[in-house]
């Protein structure tokens, strides 16, 4: 994007409204705003017709970080899945970071699409056809993005403490992005060279999760710690693929 069209929002939040809007999301949004983080949270008014509205597309495209909140009934929402496909497209072009939150749902249920996630995808297949390309795109985006860096908020967790840790992590990512972006420019473009690199070159390659493992920030540049070494304030941080160089036009 041109220099006059810099990121309008720092963060875009992808979520299913009935699951989290009035509690967790409202508190998260307030905490992000208090920290000076420009955050886009959509409203039901933007859900029109069968396709993503231009406003939603632009909000996703102009955000540097997306927080994807996986909740119990997330996969039942076609809007969540449509947004997720757009978000996934951005990550494939290495133009956006994704942070996942497993909100009172087991990460394995999302990653392996079992339980309510399996039921939701089966319902989409019945509606759109078993061989629907759209449903396959949803399934693929769900499979890959659920493996991105994230935290698990369990039923008995301290939600306020969890939100505080999540906001601190997002803020650190944005500060790192800004610091890395300023000095580097090539042919009118700013390259986020190596700001997403942690020493390896995997981007969205499937990998094995170990729920007892906790990884450092994907922007920290620190080596991977041994199992059960906690570097996050959040209750449980899932293993993350390593993200490489990103290009963002300013």
């Amino acid at each position: 994007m041109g220099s006059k069209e810099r990121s309008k929002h720092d963060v875009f939040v992808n979520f299913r409204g009935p699951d989290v809007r009035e509690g967790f999301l409202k508190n998260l949004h307030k905490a992000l705003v208090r920290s000076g983080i420009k955050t886009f949270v959509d409203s039901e008014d933007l859900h029109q017709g069968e396709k993503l509205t231009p406003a939603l597309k632009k909000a996703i495209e102009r955000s540097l970080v997306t927080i994807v909140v996986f909740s119990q009934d997330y996969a039942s929402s076609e809007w969540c899945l449509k947004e997720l496909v757009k978000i996934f497209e951005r990550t494939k072009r290495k133009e956006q970071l994704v942070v996942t939150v497993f909100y009172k749902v087991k990460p394995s249920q999302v990653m392996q699409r079992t339980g309510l996630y399996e039921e939701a995808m089966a319902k989409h297949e019945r509606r759109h056809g078993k061989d629907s390309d759209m449903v396959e795109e949803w399934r693929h985006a769900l499979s890959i993005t659920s493996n991105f860096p994230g935290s698990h908020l369990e039923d008995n967790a301290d939600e306020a403490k969890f939100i505080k840790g999540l906001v601190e992590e997002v803020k650190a990512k944005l500060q790192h992005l800004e610091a890395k972006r300023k000095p580097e420019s090539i042919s009118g473009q700013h390259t986020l060279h190596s700001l997403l690199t942690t020493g390896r070159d995997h981007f969205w390659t499937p990998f094995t999760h170990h729920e007892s493992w906790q990884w450092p920030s994907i922007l920290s540049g620190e080596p991977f710690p041994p199992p059960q070494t906690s570097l996050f304030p959040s209750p449980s941080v899932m293993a993350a693929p390593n993200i490489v160089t990103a290009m963002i036009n300013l």
Side-chain angles (χ1 to χ4, degrees):
M1 64 183 70
S3 58
K4 294 184 180 180
E5 296 183 8
R6 286 192 56 184
S7 174
K8 186 176 181 180
H9 304 97
D10 297 318
V11 172
F12 179 90
V13 185
N14 170 248
F15 65 97
R16 182 178 183 272
D19 292 352
V20 300
R21 187 186 293 275
E22 293 305 317
F24 175 77
L25 182 68
K26 182 177 291 186
N27 293 330
L28 174 60
H29 189 206
K30 287 180 180 178
L32 288 166
V33 172
R34 280 198 303 267
S35 294
I37 299 173
K38 295 177 290 183
T39 306
F40 183 92
V41 174
D42 70 358
S43 65
E44 295 299 327
D45 294 338
L46 295 177
H47 296 179
Q48 302 172 3
E50 294 294 322
K51 297 182 179 180
L52 292 184
T53 62
L56 273 176
K57 287 183 178 180
K58 184 174 290 187
I60 294 172
E61 290 169 355
R62 291 190 177 185
S63 298
L64 295 175
V65 175
T66 288
I67 300 174
V68 178
V69 183
F70 292 118
S71 54
Q72 281 286 344
D73 289 322
Y74 174 94
S76 68
S77 168
E78 293 193 3
W79 276 101
C80 285
L81 296 171
K82 289 172 183 177
E83 289 179 1
L84 193 64
V85 169
K86 180 67 176 178
I87 293 162
F88 179 51
E89 290 173 356
R90 295 271 295 163
T91 65
K92 284 198 297 182
R93 295 195 297 269
K94 306 180 182 72
E95 295 173 338
Q96 190 173 86
L97 285 173
V98 172
V99 177
T100 57
V101 172
F102 298 90
Y103 179 79
K104 299 182 179 181
V105 61
K106 291 182 179 179
S108 59
Q109 182 177 330
V110 184
M111 296 167 188
Q112 299 169 17
R113 294 184 303 282
T114 59
L116 291 177
Y117 277 70
E118 181 181 25
E119 294 175 13
M121 297 312 295
K123 183 177 179 179
H124 295 320
E125 284 186 347
R126 289 194 295 272
R127 179 182 179 188
H128 299 286
K130 189 173 182 180
D131 298 323
S132 168
D133 290 339
M134 180 172 62
V135 174
E136 184 57 32
E137 281 187 341
W138 295 348
R139 192 186 303 279
H140 183 62
L142 186 61
S143 176
I144 299 300
T145 54
S146 62
N147 279 276
F148 281 0
S151 306
H152 180 198
L153 179 62
E154 301 178 79
D155 289 332
N156 59 350
D158 184 334
E159 190 168 299
K161 184 178 180 180
F162 180 93
I163 289 175
K164 181 180 179 181
L166 179 60
V167 172
E168 289 175 355
E169 181 68 10
V170 170
K171 188 173 183 178
K173 285 174 170 53
L174 290 168
Q175 289 173 341
H176 198 106
L177 285 167
E178 185 65 22
K180 287 289 185 179
R181 178 170 51 186
K182 287 181 178 179
E184 298 179 3
S185 178
I186 299 177
S187 301
Q189 295 181 330
H190 287 252
T191 177
L192 304 183
H193 178 65
S194 75
L195 80 169
L196 310 181
T197 304
T198 58
R200 300 184 185 181
D201 59 359
H202 300 110
F203 181 58
W204 46 283
T205 304
F207 55 90
T208 302
H209 286 270
H210 302 280
E211 294 194 3
S212 63
W213 285 40
Q214 298 188 353
W215 302 90
S217 164
I218 58 174
L219 294 180
S220 68
E222 299 175 4
F224 290 150
Q228 301 184 17
T229 299
S230 176
L231 295 177
F232 282 96
S234 50
S236 173
V237 179
M238 302 305 300
N242 301 295
I243 303 179
V244 295
T245 305
M247 289 290 295
I248 296 181
N249 298 330
L250 297 182

